[in-house]
Amino acid sequence: MEVRIASENRMNEGSQPGIKMSEKAATGKGKAQRCDTYESSVRDMPFGNTMMTGSKDGICWDKTIPDPGTLKIYEPDPDADGIDWKELEHCFSNVTTTMENADRIESTVERVASMYLAVKDQLEQKFSHREDKLAEKMEQLNSLFQHSKNQIISSYKGTVGSFYEQLGNKGASSRMGESLSAAIDEKVAEIEDHGRKHGLLNSKNPKDFSYQVTAAFLQVGMLAKREKLEAADGKTEVSEKPKNDNSEYSLTDLQAAGIIAKAAYKMNPKELSLMSDGELGIQMALRYMKTACVLEGLGVGEKMSNMILSSFETFLDQHSGGALTDKSRAFGSYHYAVSQYQSTKDMEKAVTASAKKYLGKEFFTDFYASSNGAGTTKYTRYRFELDQFRSYLQQGSFSEVIKSIAGNRTPFMLAYA
């Protein structure tokens, strides 16, 4: 069976030998066929109304052959943008800050900013010659992004900001919210610059991957950039002052505030109930020293660092039932250990000196049996716990760092099990 195109300007019969013209076309009778239709040269279908390839590896068409004149030509929708707007709305609407994720505020901002820039780039490429449609699509995108930004800021103020304000820093929540707003804008600009530099955004050549993949690449780029900024000793450069003069804190500062707030939130006061006043002071001093180490390791700015440390000290006093400000209780051992650390920057030396002064030789000589039957001194357990903390900090494992500051499941607590 032959299938050929029927046209108004058909060749005369005989112009192409071997091709038989239909009866109406040959006689000139009947309505002329459209150029986008077809007609069969065989009126009687010897093989039925379906076609099948003769080869087992060929293409099989097992549907009914459409009647002549019903062939349709489909044009792509010129307004289609390739964006799953429902999925995008879901992505942008689930970005609240809680005490559970307060330590990951920077990655949250990077995820939202990367998605925003990836979608923006796809829209700009799709509607590069249709400014009216691009403006309409960008208004929709900007609305979603602004809503997401507002959620991040308001939830951060209500959790982390509120934590520090309740510890005596009047107006801290508002100032931190303003800084976070500026930090988000700066992060968008940073990611966009990185994306252009590495050909992920505004590339002249059309990309063969989706906006979701572009967003993932942008996020990975930011992670790689941070890792390269780390010094050989695991410390980062001191947090730069935000470019916005009205902003007090950088995004690194705000994330550090979230890390310490989360650690405080995770503390369990029952763990301290069996400690002597002298050891309670040393234990609280150790948590203060760990916090100072984290801030230094992250390169937190001086203004934020001072606020975090003073706030955390206030929290530790409240957490211990006022023992750190009570001279008849843990005041001496706490402040002595902290002063030793401030002069030496060595946590182990500070703990040792304070223990010798306030706990006596029992801290170094008395053995306590662990659940596995092994006996160790409290001093050995403190040293082991400090080694673990330093290892976590060097690896950048902040989930474990937070547990260590909070005192969750740390070796020295085995003495009170």
Side-chain angles (χ1 to χ4, degrees):
M1 177 182 67
E2 294 183 29
V3 177
R4 59 189 178 82
I5 299 297
S7 172
E8 294 178 358
N9 302 316
R10 299 184 176 186
M11 296 181 180
N12 293 329
E13 184 176 8
S15 59
Q16 290 188 11
I19 299 180
K20 182 179 179 181
M21 300 181 68
S22 66
E23 182 179 349
K24 289 184 178 180
T27 60
K29 296 179 181 181
K31 187 177 179 180
Q33 296 292 310
R34 289 169 46 197
C35 293
D36 61 348
T37 65
Y38 75 92
E39 69 175 37
S40 174
S41 61
V42 179
R43 293 306 177 196
D44 297 325
M45 297 183 178
F47 306 109
N49 63 351
T50 61
M51 291 188 298
M52 182 177 293
T53 176
S55 169
K56 66 177 182 179
D57 299 320
I59 299 175
C60 176
W61 176 266
D62 59 359
K63 305 296 182 181
T64 302
I65 300 175
D67 296 330
T70 61
L71 185 64
K72 296 181 179 179
I73 300 176
Y74 291 94
E75 292 287 344
D77 183 0
D79 294 339
D81 51 28
I83 308 298
D84 187 337
W85 289 97
K86 287 186 177 180
E87 179 188 41
L88 193 64
E89 183 177 359
H90 177 76
C91 172
F92 281 173
S93 62
N94 291 276
V95 285
T96 55
T97 304
T98 67
M99 279 301 187
E100 292 296 335
N101 65 8
D103 56 317
R104 301 189 298 275
I105 184 65
E106 186 168 22
S107 62
T108 297
V109 171
E110 287 179 348
R111 174 168 56 86
V112 173
S114 295
M115 182 61 73
Y116 168 76
L117 289 169
V119 174
K120 176 174 176 281
D121 183 63
Q122 181 157 316
L123 293 176
E124 288 175 343
Q125 291 196 37
K126 173 67 178 179
F127 302 108
S128 59
H129 301 295
R130 298 180 61 191
E131 294 183 3
D132 57 335
K133 181 56 68 173
L134 177 60
E136 176 188 328
K137 296 286 186 177
M138 282 304 302
E139 182 179 0
Q140 184 179 1
L141 176 62
N142 288 332
S143 177
L144 289 175
F145 178 70
Q146 187 61 46
H147 175 70
S148 178
K149 179 181 174 181
N150 291 340
Q151 272 195 324
I152 294 173
I153 295 170
S154 62
S155 58
Y156 184 90
K157 288 169 60 179
T159 51
V160 179
S162 179
F163 171 81
Y164 288 98
E165 185 145 347
Q166 291 174 8
L167 292 171
N169 302 282
K170 187 176 181 180
S173 179
S174 177
R175 294 194 302 272
M176 294 170 86
E178 291 172 0
S179 294
L180 182 54
S181 178
I184 292 173
D185 293 339
E186 290 174 12
K187 179 60 71 172
V188 170
E190 180 188 357
I191 296 175
E192 185 170 22
D193 181 67
H194 181 83
R196 288 177 177 176
K197 180 179 179 181
H198 294 278
L200 295 172
L201 298 174
N202 297 331
S203 176
K204 294 181 180 179
N205 299 321
K207 296 185 285 291
D208 57 356
F209 44 83
S210 67
Y211 66 91
Q212 292 99 329
V213 176
T214 300
F217 283 161
L218 291 173
Q219 280 187 265
V220 171
M222 287 297 97
L223 177 61
K225 185 178 180 181
R226 283 200 301 276
E227 290 180 346
K228 288 180 181 179
L229 289 175
E230 291 183 356
D233 58 359
K235 297 180 181 179
T236 59
E237 298 296 327
V238 175
S239 176
E240 295 182 358
K241 178 175 173 43
K243 297 177 183 178
N244 188 330
D245 293 335
N246 297 323
S247 179
E248 293 187 44
Y249 310 118
S250 70
L251 191 54
T252 299
D253 293 342
L254 296 167
Q255 175 153 294
I259 289 173
I260 304 307
K262 181 176 179 177
Y265 175 75
K266 293 289 185 179
M267 288 187 188
N268 182 3
K270 293 182 179 179
E271 294 176 336
L272 312 177
S273 60
L274 298 178
M275 290 185 181
S276 66
D277 287 338
E279 189 176 356
L280 178 61
I282 294 174
Q283 178 54 221
M284 295 296 97
L286 182 59
R287 299 188 190 195
Y288 176 93
M289 291 185 279
K290 289 177 182 177
T291 298
C293 282
V294 170
L295 300 181
E296 183 181 357
L298 290 175
V300 176
E302 183 178 0
K303 190 170 186 177
M304 175 62 88
S305 182
N306 290 337
M307 187 186 78
I308 291 175
L309 287 173
S310 63
S311 300
F312 192 61
E313 189 168 43
T314 300
F315 175 82
L316 289 174
D317 185 48
Q318 295 175 356
H319 180 68
S320 61
L324 306 187
T325 53
D326 187 343
K327 292 187 177 181
S328 66
R329 296 182 63 193
F331 178 91
S333 59
Y334 172 80
H335 288 282
Y336 185 79
V338 170
S339 65
Q340 290 294 311
Y341 172 75
Q342 290 172 340
S343 62
T344 64
K345 297 299 179 182
D346 189 317
M347 289 187 289
E348 187 173 330
K349 286 183 179 180
V351 168
T352 301
S354 188
K356 286 180 178 179
K357 184 176 178 67
Y358 290 94
L359 298 181
K361 64 178 182 179
E362 294 81 6
F363 182 80
F364 303 91
T365 59
D366 288 1
F367 279 71
Y368 294 85
S370 301
S371 58
N372 60 4
T376 57
T377 64
K378 286 185 179 180
Y379 176 63
T380 300
R381 292 177 178 181
Y382 270 78
R383 289 182 58 190
F384 178 65
E385 197 275 328
L386 278 172
D387 288 340
Q388 281 187 321
F389 170 78
R390 285 189 286 258
S391 177
Y392 295 146
L393 188 59
Q394 187 174 15
Q395 295 169 11
S397 179
F398 285 102
S399 61
E400 295 300 326
V401 165
I402 289 170
K403 290 178 184 178
S404 184
I405 295 175
N408 303 143
R409 301 190 302 277
T410 49
F412 58 78
M413 296 310 304
L414 295 173
Y416 309 101

